[in-house]
Amino acid sequence: MTAPGHPAPPVPDAEVVDPDYPVTPVPAHARKSFFSIAVVLLGFTVFTPTMLAGATLGPAFAFDDLVLVILAGSLILGVYVAVMGWVGARTGLTTVVMARYTLGTRGAKLASILLGGTQIGWYGVVVGTIGDLTAEALGWRSYGARAAVMVVTSVLMCATAYWGYRGMYWVSLVSTPLILVLAFWVVGRSLQEVGGLDGLTGVRPTASMAVAVAVTTVVGTFVSAGTQAPNWTRFARRGSHAVWACVIGFLVGNGLMVFFGAIGALTFGEGDFVLVLYQLGLVGWGLVLLFGNLWKSNADTAYAFGVAGAELFDRPSKGPFVIGGAVIGTVLALTGVQNHLVEYLGLLGTFIPPLGGVIIGDFLARWRRRGIPAGTAPPPVRWPNLLAYAVAAFLAWLSGELGIGIPPVIGIVVAIALSTALSRVGSPGGTPVGAGRGPA
């Protein structure tokens, strides 16, 4: 059984079809409920390192202005990801496979390398961070102890991603409520530190930051990962389910984590609630928050580079690429990548959002009304859309260098505008056999 409008896709080399359908549309029988999609996306964005972004905002704004900045950035992020999620539900495809229709079969390899490579790097950063923070909490000084923690946690994350959507759903269902309870409890303790809400609103800024920079910080927390939201929303039964799940995850969930980090910085001088719990002497609960949170988020990361690898090599299973990427990420962690690669990976975040903008613009211009027709293959390269991506990515980078505007937003908006305008230029471009229109 396949989704409406999808002919049964062929199985390359007669291999067993991966139940997560990394390179083919998700069929109707494999679609999930709204609750399931929302749980997975909320688990993805309830990510404690996001608090560090909030910690940079807290001291720079009065409380009312701080709330407005976080709301503005979260709204921009939420709208962008919701549209990406809607496209994913309509097509039933991952971001990197959708890029085949937008950039061509060869052009899409750029998307797979960019998205998959970045995710492997972040995977290594998170695994290394877990090892370092665990060693700090337990007073371990030996490299061997930290390395053992990294390897064990990486195996758990890799196994969860290998299990696929179901693995991420169950880990998110169990861990996310516990993490949120701990976070709200720390917020309560934070308010006690400053004499309640009145004390918090009375805290005066001790630093300065331009509003545009602050909004960019909020948007930048998850805009790169949000570009890959279709990896999960393609399982939604309806496009509206995908939209609301993205709103819950990226506007509410991510916004809360930024807000929590700002509160922690204002009251304890520390944005990461894991370290706040350490300060309060609650090392055990700090480790629960650390492992529960980063386990589910990094499993999503491993899943993302798994499906990117499946597209890159045109294989029907994500499994080998989940394992291979996890091995590479773990080796990077063991070499201390978390101390050197973060700024570089952040720079790549400038170049990822325009990719999502090109996909959105191309879909709205060519496929929105009639869906993606089945039965024909796309050209190797769609040069107009590659040009749109290159221009948008350059302008996003330039805006960051000049300190003008919000780089991710500039990249997305320019990419949508150019890809829409150029959508009918050059080769008409078909689609691979098996593509079609997903649920409304």
Side-chain angles (χ1 to χ4, degrees), residues 16-304:
V16 177
V17 174
D18 188 311
D20 283 271
Y21 307 94
V23 293
T24 56
V26 176
H29 69 81
R31 300 284 177 136
K32 310 295 182 182
S33 68
F34 164 73
F35 177 78
S36 175
I37 303 295
V39 165
V40 170
L41 289 183
L42 186 61
F44 187 32
T45 57
V46 176
F47 183 54
T48 52
T50 301
M51 294 178 178
L52 299 179
T56 65
L57 305 180
F61 295 93
F63 183 77
D64 291 346
D65 295 333
L66 174 66
V67 172
L68 290 176
V69 164
I70 294 175
L71 284 176
S74 298
L75 182 62
I76 293 170
L77 177 64
V79 169
Y80 165 65
V81 177
V83 176
M84 283 296 298
W86 174 76
V87 175
R90 288 289 301 273
T91 62
L93 300 169
T94 66
T95 301
V96 290
V97 176
M98 283 193 291
R100 291 178 176 178
Y101 312 132
T102 301
L103 304 178
T105 53
R106 293 180 183 172
K109 304 310 177 187
L110 169 67
S112 294
I113 292 171
L114 183 63
L115 295 175
T118 303
Q119 293 303 297
I120 288 175
W122 278 120
Y123 183 92
V125 168
V126 171
V127 168
T129 300
I130 287 179
D132 289 346
L133 289 179
T134 302
E136 177 184 337
L138 300 179
W140 294 343
R141 299 187 180 277
S142 71
Y143 172 78
R146 293 199 310 275
V149 172
M150 293 178 196
V151 171
V152 171
T153 55
S154 180
V155 169
L156 289 173
M157 295 166 182
C158 178
T160 303
Y162 191 92
W163 191 12
Y165 183 97
R166 289 184 62 192
M168 292 179 291
Y169 169 74
W170 284 108
V171 171
S172 295
L173 187 65
V174 172
S175 63
T176 303
L178 177 59
I179 290 165
L180 288 174
V181 167
L182 281 171
F184 277 108
W185 181 85
V186 175
V187 169
R189 285 296 303 267
S190 299
L191 291 175
Q192 292 179 16
E193 290 290 315
V194 293
L197 187 59
D198 289 340
L200 183 62
T201 56
V203 175
R204 297 293 93 193
T206 58
S208 62
M209 179 183 293
V211 171
V213 174
V215 173
T216 298
T217 300
V218 177
V219 175
T221 55
F222 250 85
V223 69
S224 297
T227 301
Q228 300 183 77
N231 293 351
W232 299 278
T233 63
R234 65 199 174 97
F235 287 94
R237 292 171 182 162
R238 299 184 63 84
S240 59
H241 291 178
V243 168
W244 286 108
C246 288
V247 168
I248 290 172
F250 287 83
L251 195 158
V252 178
N254 190 71
L256 277 176
M257 299 311 286
V258 175
F259 179 73
F260 291 159
I263 297 302
L266 289 172
T267 56
F268 284 102
E270 176 57 66
D272 191 334
F273 278 9
V274 173
L275 298 179
V276 171
L277 287 167
Y278 288 0
Q279 289 182 20
L280 294 172
L282 302 172
V283 173
W285 285 114
L287 290 174
V288 168
L289 182 60
L290 175 68
F291 278 94
N293 178 257
L294 298 186
W295 177 6
K296 62 182 177 54
S297 295
N298 229 28
D300 292 341
T301 300
Y303 183 87

Side-chain angles (χ1 to χ4, degrees), residues 370-393:
R370 59 191 177 94
I372 300 177
T376 58
V381 179
R382 280 190 55 81
W383 293 108
N385 284 333
L386 275 174
L387 175 63
Y389 169 76
V391 172

